[in-house]
Amino acid sequence: FEEGNDNLDQIIKSVDMQLKENLTKEKLSAQMNALAVLENVFIIRLVPLFIKDIVLKYFHKQSRKEQTIALSNIGIVEMPEKLREYIKLFDVFASTDSTQICMCSYLDNMTLSFTTHFVESEIEKNFFKELSDKGIDVVINTNIVEDDDYEEVL
């Protein structure tokens, strides 16, 4: 993915390629094994927990600088046949301090839910406009509170 290129088709191709390259059994296993090895290093076991917490928070913060958005795909939600006529769709949200998209599908409905700490919603508007421009039916629900409707609670 080239910086400055915001073409959705290119982004989809790039993400697809990265997922196929990196989500292999071998690569995931190697990553998990490397992390597990750290648990057994004797010197690390001697370091007090509060110091480990500080170090981990620092590295977590550094890794977040390279992350622009996270996607959690819950997948297909299944319900018993006798309940299906009463349920139209499912929503999934994550509590996060960055921008996150959660997605799931139920019957013929796929839901994409954005969670973000940003007040502006340009990212979401542009994302759904791109889908709509491609002929995908989009229904938007939001919890945005207009300034006139906002009342500070003390």
Side-chain angles (χ1 to χ4, degrees), residues 88-105:
K88 181 178 178 181
L89 55 84
F90 283 87
D91 284 321
V92 179
F93 296 91
S95 176
T96 180
D97 62 351
S98 64
T99 302
Q100 172 136 4
I101 301 174
C102 292
M103 65 186 286
C104 67
S105 61

Side-chain angles (χ1 to χ4, degrees), residues 38-88:
L38 289 176
E39 292 182 17
N40 297 318
V41 175
F42 182 72
I43 293 176
I44 292 176
R45 295 175 92 183
L46 295 176
V47 176
L49 183 59
F50 77 94
I51 293 175
K52 291 178 191 174
D53 287 342
I54 292 169
V55 171
L56 288 174
K57 284 179 186 176
Y58 170 78
F59 284 108
H60 175 72
K61 189 174 182 179
Q62 294 302 338
S63 71
R64 295 291 300 261
K65 288 181 180 180
E66 296 182 19
Q67 176 183 334
T68 54
I69 197 164
L71 172 68
S72 296
N73 183 3
I74 306 306
I76 299 170
V77 177
E78 297 286 344
M79 293 301 292
E81 184 71 39
K82 62 184 176 183
L83 297 178
R84 289 185 186 163
E85 67 180 284
Y86 302 106
I87 302 170
K88 181 178 178 181

Side-chain angles (χ1 to χ4, degrees), residues 3-15:
E3 191 173 331
N5 183 355
D6 58 357
N7 179 302
L8 183 60
D9 291 330
Q10 290 289 25
I11 294 170
I12 291 169
K13 287 177 186 174
S14 175
V15 170

Side-chain angles (χ1 to χ4, degrees), residues 3 9-10 15 19-20 22 27 29 37 42 55 60 63 78 85 94 113 128 134 137 141 149:
E3 191 173 331
D9 291 330
Q10 290 289 25
V15 170
L19 289 174
K20 286 177 180 171
N22 295 307
K27 286 198 176 187
S29 180
V37 165
F42 182 72
V55 171
H60 175 72
S63 71
E78 297 286 344
E85 67 180 284
S113 305
F128 289 114
K134 293 192 174 302
D137 291 332
N141 294 304
D149 297 334

